[in-house]
Amino acid sequence: DTEVTQTPKHLVMGMTNKKSLKCEQHMGHRAMYWYKQKAKKPPELMFVYSYEKLSINESVPSRFSPECPNSSLLNLHLHALQPEDSALYLCASSQAEPGQTALEAFFGQGTRLTVV
Amino acid sequence: QKEVEQNSGPLSVPEGAIASLNCTYSDRGSQSFFWYRQYSGKSPELIMFIYSNGDKEDGRFTAQLNKASQYVSLLIRDSQPSDSATYLCAVDSSGSARQLTFGSGTQLTVLP
């Protein structure tokens, strides 16, 4: 089972709202990722969690706040977003940890976020 | 800066032909290379990965890797209209903070 589940599939939020995106995997993967993808662009890495610890933050604004409650779950908390933050937000997971080979990453279906 | 470059296309091939997608990368320490297929409005789907120099075949797909030339390619044989999508090359960056770096993608259209 190579399934990564993201909820919700679609989200419309105002600039003063607080919302959360959720991601879940049951493949035993110990690395989980958040990516942001704008139309006709490749995914851009936002955060990496390895063994439930934040290992990479690609200079993401603080209005995006990641959380990894356990090895199967990854959240992205959103607050005071701007219209330019509208994008497809992708969660991914992989088995490998830093320092080891193989980094096959499997993506969830994404959350289409619109900020109004 | 570690870069992954692809021809953005669009690439059009007739049904039944071979589609050839190319990718170059700048980080000589990269160890793993991946091809993702992304349909419009959908998330990327892993279709091939390769770690060693040479060819790797899986059904109609063949990945080719040449680390000396820092080049990886994907061949799709007997292309079908359902293969029409954007193909993303991704490279595992070396160093202590492992992550995937994506190319900008090649849009492939297979004409019936």
Side-chain angles (χ1 to χ4, degrees):
Chain A
D1 182 11
T2 56
E3 188 169 311
V4 178
T5 303
Q6 288 187 245
T7 56
K9 288 186 170 49
H10 301 275
L11 178 62
V12 179
M13 61 185 290
M15 290 188 282
T16 58
N17 290 159
K18 286 184 180 181
K19 296 287 184 183
S20 297
L21 309 184
K22 297 185 183 301
C23 176
E24 187 170 5
Q25 57 89 12
H26 294 289
M27 295 179 278
H29 289 175
R30 301 313 298 267
M32 296 185 75
Y33 312 82
W34 281 115
Y35 285 85
K36 173 183 176 180
Q37 188 176 27
K38 302 281 273 186
K40 299 191 183 301
K41 297 290 186 183
E44 295 177 28
L45 184 66
M46 300 175 72
F47 302 104
V48 180
Y49 273 83
S50 178
Y51 284 78
E52 297 139 60
K53 287 186 170 45
L54 183 64
S55 60
I56 295 177
N57 175 341
E58 290 287 356
S59 302
V60 179
S62 60
R63 59 186 184 268
F64 296 92
S65 175
E67 178 196 19
C68 190
N70 60 55
S71 60
S72 300
L73 294 174
L74 185 66
N75 299 322
L76 186 63
H77 302 297
L78 314 173
H79 174 55
L81 295 193
Q82 303 297 310
E84 58 264 31
D85 295 321
S86 299
L88 180 66
Y89 287 83
L90 295 161
C91 174
S93 70
S94 70
Q95 188 171 15
E97 62 180 274
Q100 295 184 355
T101 58
L103 199 65
E104 299 151 51
F106 297 94
F107 284 86
Q109 292 306 301
T111 294
R112 177 75 59 189
L113 174 67
T114 303
V115 182
V116 296
Chain B
Q1 184 173 348
K2 297 168 183 173
E3 294 182 350
V4 178
E5 295 191 2
Q6 296 180 250
N7 291 332
S8 60
L11 172 66
S12 294
V13 300
E15 184 174 355
I18 295 175
S20 177
L21 306 166
N22 304 316
C23 174
T24 59
Y25 59 95
S26 63
D27 182 6
R28 282 197 171 275
S30 298
Q31 300 179 38
S32 312
F33 307 87
F34 306 86
W35 284 99
Y36 286 85
R37 177 176 62 198
Q38 187 171 27
Y39 293 113
S40 181
K42 302 295 185 182
S43 63
E45 174 191 8
L46 179 64
I47 55 172
M48 286 288 287
F49 58 89
I50 186 166
Y51 308 136
S52 304
N53 277 329
D55 295 359
K56 179 183 178 182
E57 187 174 317
D58 183 0
R60 296 187 296 113
F61 298 100
T62 299
Q64 299 174 316
L65 175 61
N66 183 327
K67 289 186 179 180
S69 301
Q70 295 175 247
Y71 174 88
V72 59
S73 67
L74 179 71
L75 300 178
I76 306 175
R77 289 183 301 282
D78 188 24
S79 295
Q80 301 296 309
S82 58
D83 295 326
S84 299
T86 296
Y87 289 81
L88 296 162
C89 173
V91 175
D92 164 22
S93 61
S94 60
S96 59
R98 298 284 291 280
Q99 59 178 285
L100 287 180
T101 300
F102 283 87
S104 57
T106 298
Q107 185 180 341
L108 172 67
T109 300
V110 180
L111 303 169

